[in-house]
Amino acid sequence: AQMVPVDVAQAVACFDIRVFNTDRHPGNLLMAGARPYQCVCIDHGCVLPAWWALDMAQFDAWVDWPQVKVPPTAGTLRIVEKAVL
């Protein structure tokens, strides 16, 4: 079984992109509950950088997660759809 469900990992990635969190790493994710774990995002000190730094933002913290290498789930697509409406 996966440590973190695909929907949960993809939701973290969507959240980080939405708030321009450029500092996601294992030290600011809490694993909650029983396996498969839910992720609780903590430490949002590096979100919403200055407008002149937006082009330098890198979201590489979770790019190696296998859950974000698969096509978006229906739940992930709903998150994105709600964000753009």
Side-chain angles (χ1 to χ4, degrees):
Q2 291 181 325
M3 277 188 66
V4 177
V6 173
D7 275 337
V8 172
Q10 290 182 358
V12 169
C14 287
F15 174 75
D16 284 348
I17 291 169
R18 176 81 178 196
V19 299
F20 267 78
N21 185 357
T22 58
D23 188 39
R24 178 67 60 218
H25 55 82
N28 59 27
L29 279 175
L30 298 178
M31 299 299 149
R35 195 174 185 156
Y37 302 109
Q38 296 297 308
C39 290
V40 179
C41 300
I42 60 171
D43 186 4
H44 298 92
C46 294
V47 301
L48 301 173
W51 65 268
W52 62 84
L54 295 178
D55 66 334
M56 295 181 281
Q58 293 184 345
F59 304 102
D60 54 3
W62 30 254
V63 346
D64 292 329
W65 296 1
Q67 298 94 325
V68 298
K69 292 184 178 194
V70 299
T73 65
T76 300
L77 293 174
R78 280 192 299 276
I79 289 170
V80 172
E81 186 176 272
K82 286 181 182 180
V84 297
L85 293 178

